[in-house]
Amino acid sequence: MELSNKTGIAANAIADDVYNAISAGQKTGDAVNFVTNSTKLAKAGFAESSQTLDVLTTVLNAYGMSADKVSTVSDMLVQTQNKGKVTVGELASSMGKIIPTANASNVSLEQLCAGYAIMTSKGIAAAETTTYMNSMLNELSKSGSTTDKLLRQKMGGSFAELMASGKSLGEILGGIQEEASKSGLALSDMFSSSEAGKAAMSLLSNGVDGFNSSVQDMVNSVGATDSAFAKMEDTTEAKMEKAKNSIANLALFLVKTYCRL
């Protein structure tokens, strides 16, 4: 009820989210704090609380993060919204399809979010960005692919091994581009899938330094959710919604009190 009054989101919706958070693997003691973060993210990211709950639990479960990392994940999603042309709501609808692939390839959340920020800022919709990057990561990781052979021969390891060693996705793509140019080819020519090629070209459009700078933006995203949430809460629409919701919660409280008497 208290969280409902603060955010303007219906108490029954928040209660459902708490239940769903527990069902998704969050400890009962962590569930309310977890939902507090997902509720703030919903307001800050133009999304439904059920959407943000889903994307947060998906990320934490896939990357094996503890519940206390929920605000870190939330901040990176808002930063992606800030730096790209995408809302958290749009990210929540599509990120779940690529997170398992990214995690299996040792691509960190910071680098994945940087990819979304770069590609959506260039006008590529979130759903298409997901498809393109998923195709690229699959091809980079596929044993025997053109890029896999090149990485093993020229950079000394598989894609997952290079990522685990501390290389950034931008640095790996830069290495592929360098080898491609020696043969008079474009970066996109190194991929058999046109979607994968488009992703690679887009991510490296500002060079390796541009990609790494975008990753650093994600690292420096602390407080992004609270900042965006505060701005949303200051609108007339939000204030009216909170007032209406507080009245509804008061009525619910009075009914429950009367029933007990």
Side-chain angles (χ1 to χ4, degrees), residues 1 4 6 14 18 31 79 88 106 112 123 127 143 145 150-151 155 163 184 201 215 220 231 235 246 252:
M1 293 275 283
S4 174
K6 286 181 179 179
I14 292 175
V18 171
Q79 187 76 312
V88 172
N106 295 321
L112 185 61
S143 180
S145 68
L150 187 151
L151 292 176
M155 300 186 74
M163 292 300 297
M201 294 290 286
V215 173
N220 297 333
K231 289 178 182 177
T235 64
S246 295
L252 180 62

Side-chain angles (χ1 to χ4, degrees), residues 12-210:
N12 63 335
I14 292 175
D16 286 343
D17 286 344
V18 171
Y19 175 83
N20 290 331
I22 296 169
S23 299
Q26 295 302 310
K27 294 179 181 178
T28 304
D30 297 329
V32 174
N33 179 62
F34 192 93
V35 170
T36 299
N37 280 274
S38 70
T39 302
K40 282 186 176 181
L41 180 59
K43 286 288 186 179
F46 308 95
E48 297 295 329
S49 60
S50 58
Q51 287 182 301
T52 53
L53 177 71
D54 182 59
V55 71
L56 289 173
T57 52
T58 298
V59 170
L60 264 67
N61 290 340
Y63 281 101
M65 297 178 180
S66 57
D68 61 355
K69 296 296 183 183
V70 63
S71 61
T72 300
V73 175
S74 177
D75 286 341
M76 275 194 265
L77 293 176
V78 172
Q79 187 76 312
T80 304
Q81 175 178 273
N82 293 342
K83 297 296 181 179
K85 290 181 181 177
V86 64
T87 65
V88 172
E90 290 168 336
L91 291 172
S93 298
S94 58
M95 277 189 82
K97 299 173 184 176
I98 194 175
I99 287 171
T101 306
N103 183 44
S105 304
N106 295 321
V107 177
S108 67
L109 182 63
E110 290 89 343
Q111 302 210 43
L112 185 61
C113 286
Y116 273 102
I118 292 169
M119 292 185 67
T120 59
S121 71
K122 298 184 180 304
I124 304 173
E128 291 174 311
T129 294
T130 300
T131 300
Y132 295 171
M133 282 205 294
N134 213 359
S135 179
M136 182 193 70
L137 294 181
N138 279 322
E139 196 160 335
L140 286 167
S141 303
K142 185 178 180 181
S143 180
S145 68
T146 299
T147 52
D148 174 65
K149 292 177 181 178
L150 187 151
L151 292 176
R152 292 178 188 275
Q153 292 171 2
K154 302 297 182 179
M155 300 186 74
S158 68
F159 176 61
E161 289 169 344
L162 292 170
M163 292 300 297
S165 73
K167 292 283 187 183
S168 77
L169 178 56
E171 289 165 348
I172 290 173
L173 292 176
I176 295 173
Q177 184 179 56
E178 186 177 332
E179 291 301 318
S181 63
K182 291 178 182 178
S183 303
L185 299 173
L187 176 59
S188 58
D189 294 328
M190 306 304 289
F191 294 88
S192 61
S193 161
S194 61
E195 288 87 355
K198 288 176 183 177
M201 294 290 286
S202 296
L203 293 178
L204 216 61
S205 57
N206 294 323
V208 175
D209 289 343

Side-chain angles (χ1 to χ4, degrees), residues 227-243:
S227 177
F229 178 74
K231 289 178 182 177
M232 293 298 295
E233 287 295 275
D234 199 37
T235 64
T236 301
E237 182 182 358
K239 290 175 181 177
M240 290 179 64
E241 190 64 32
K242 285 173 67 174

